Amino acid sequence: MTDEPDVRRALVIEDDDDIRGLLVHILTKQGFLVSAVSSGRAGVELMQRDGAELVTLDLNLPDIDGVEVCRQLRRFSDAYILMITARGEELDRLTGLDTGADDYLTKPFSPRELGSRITALFRRPRASAVHEAAVQDELRRAVEVQRSLLPAEGLSLDGFDIAGSFRPSRNVGGDFFDWYPNDGGLQLTLADAMGKGMGAALIAATVRAVMRSVAHRRPLSEAFSSAGRILEADLEQSASFVTLFHARLDAATGILQYLDAGHGLALHIKADGSSSRLLTGGPPVGAWPDQEWDAHQVSLEPGDCLAVVSDGLLDVYPDVDVLTAVVSGTVSGSASAQAACDAVLDLASGREVSDDATVVVLKRARA
């Protein structure tokens, strides 16, 4: 198998349709694989997910100023940033360059001049360019591994609606969720392996495989303890640990047996909108050897929901209590499990989130 040739990526952040199209055309002619967005927040999110070697950035954007976009990009990216704007005053140019832009071009601009400036930028590659390329490649591979751990399709269960979503940060972690049918109900797991990049993604893959291997064992506490013993050696060797929420649902009764190993962000949201955090059953898996975990259960009555979120959302809110209240209200006001997941992830949109944001919602239909 031959390696694919290196492809340079570029991102155009420009709200004017005509100029955006022109920039895409010019950059494509220069050999870039080009993505384009019309708002600053969308640009930051796309860079966090896919990365790019070059960003062209307008200052006058409909949501956040281009200077603020540049500031946010510089927190995690070493890409070349070329500001292109109608604001040509000296103060604007200096502000953009001081914030982290590499060059500044005033509208209207010559396509030939734009091409020459881009060529000049890449003529002097950054000292970290090779390292950055390697990091980006690992992150992309880690994202692929992470996505492969998610359920390939939804699960149909009479009287229940389940959905899950995750939004990876640039520093890919070990979040994953999983579900599958089991004895008239389902089993579900949400876990977060400590660490970033490919290492955390591979640990997450191991955890998923082990949890599925003990799915048939009963009771739940013994099955989980068996999984913990299997995982301990690998986690000790990698100096890692995993926070994990695992549950079994009896669809006929609505009884949810669960075990929380250091996760602490699972919510029982009742039909009337009130909510409570589910009990934890012990420390994260791999934190200490020879641990045992306590199983608990809760009854999901008609109209009730289970919502499990990852700690990436704690980057958005000051503490767990505030996060719990916001997530509970968001899920209660959503018509479906998928709508609830989308709404919860929207809480982190445009925010600086250093870890993956993940959510699973299980809703029982009203009577």
Side-chain angles (χ1 to χ4, degrees):
M1 183 177 69
T2 59
D3 294 334
E4 293 184 3
D6 291 336
V7 177
R8 294 188 301 181
R9 295 173 179 267
L11 172 63
V12 174
I13 306 176
E14 168 63 59
D15 65 333
D16 184 283
D17 292 342
D18 293 334
I19 297 176
R20 188 168 62 251
L22 174 61
L23 290 170
V24 170
H25 176 73
I26 294 170
L27 293 171
T28 301
K29 293 274 286 183
Q30 286 213 324
F32 288 91
L33 180 63
V34 186
S35 300
V37 295
S38 59
S39 68
R41 290 193 178 94
V44 172
E45 291 180 4
L46 194 60
M47 277 292 287
Q48 287 177 320
R49 187 176 73 239
D50 296 338
E53 288 75 40
L54 172 69
V55 178
T56 67
L57 175 61
D58 186 18
L59 281 186
N60 297 317
L61 294 168
D63 50 357
I64 55 177
D65 189 89
V67 172
E68 176 59 25
V69 174
C70 184
R71 185 176 292 112
Q72 292 187 25
L73 292 179
R74 280 293 174 243
R75 290 171 181 164
F76 62 85
S77 175
D78 195 36
Y80 292 110
I81 298 177
L82 175 58
M83 286 187 169
I84 304 176
T85 179
R87 287 157 50 178
E89 291 80 5
E90 182 181 13
L91 180 59
D92 290 323
R93 293 197 302 271
L94 293 176
T95 300
L97 294 171
D98 288 345
T99 306
D102 296 283
D103 202 352
Y104 200 106
L105 192 60
T106 304
K107 300 174 184 176
F109 58 86
S110 160
R112 291 185 62 183
E113 181 182 2
L114 172 61
S116 295
R117 286 177 181 259
I118 293 171
T119 299
L121 286 175
F122 281 87
R123 190 178 294 130
R124 297 180 295 275
R126 300 190 189 281
S128 60
V130 174
H131 173 71
E132 179 69 14
V135 170
Q136 290 296 331
D137 182 65
E138 180 185 358
L139 290 174
R140 281 193 288 269
R141 292 175 185 272
V143 168
E144 291 172 4
V145 172
Q146 197 171 29
R147 290 188 183 279
S148 73
L149 304 180
L150 306 181
E153 56 187 23
L155 186 150
S156 178
L157 188 64
D158 286 344
F160 288 88
D161 180 20
I162 187 170
S165 298
F166 94 108
R167 179 177 295 156
S169 69
R170 182 175 184 271
N171 296 315
V172 179
D175 280 17
F176 80 90
F177 60 86
D178 188 27
W179 60 61
Y180 41 91
N182 184 63
D183 296 338
L186 63 83
Q187 298 202 43
L188 69 88
T189 304
L190 189 148
D192 182 4
M194 185 191 74
K196 305 293 182 184
M198 184 62 79
L202 292 176
I203 290 173
T206 301
V207 173
R208 178 182 183 273
V210 170
M211 293 308 302
R212 284 200 166 214
S213 74
V214 300
H216 64 285
R217 297 192 182 185
R218 299 187 181 278
L220 179 63
S221 57
E222 289 187 9
F224 196 92
S225 293
S226 175
R229 287 191 293 271
I230 294 171
L231 290 168
E232 273 183 2
D234 288 339
L235 293 171
E236 182 179 6
Q237 190 172 21
S238 61
S240 185
F241 61 83
V242 177
T243 64
L244 198 151
F245 178 86
H246 182 71
R248 291 175 177 172
L249 171 71
D250 184 328
T253 64
I255 297 297
L256 185 85
Q257 297 181 337
Y258 69 91
L259 203 150
D260 186 312
H263 188 74
L265 292 173
L267 313 178
H268 176 204
I269 305 169
K270 295 185 179 180
D272 62 6
S274 62
S275 65
S276 59
R277 288 170 58 202
L278 298 186
L279 299 171
T280 58
V285 179
W288 295 282
D290 303 321
Q291 286 296 308
E292 296 292 332
W293 292 270
D294 297 323
H296 304 280
Q297 71 177 38
V298 64
S299 177
L300 296 181
E301 302 296 333
D304 286 5
C305 302
L306 169 76
V308 192
V309 300
S310 68
D311 61 2
L313 287 164
L314 285 173
D315 289 345
V316 181
Y317 296 97
D319 55 50
V320 175
D321 291 336
V322 174
L323 173 63
T324 297
V326 173
V327 170
S328 298
T330 301
V331 173
S332 294
S334 301
S336 67
Q338 188 59 62
C341 290
D342 294 341
V344 170
L345 288 190
D346 282 345
L347 299 174
S349 294
R351 310 290 189 95
E352 185 179 355
V353 178
S354 61
D355 202 354
D356 300 338
T358 308
V359 57
V360 172
V361 172
L362 173 67
K363 292 174 91 56
R364 185 173 187 183
R366 294 181 181 273

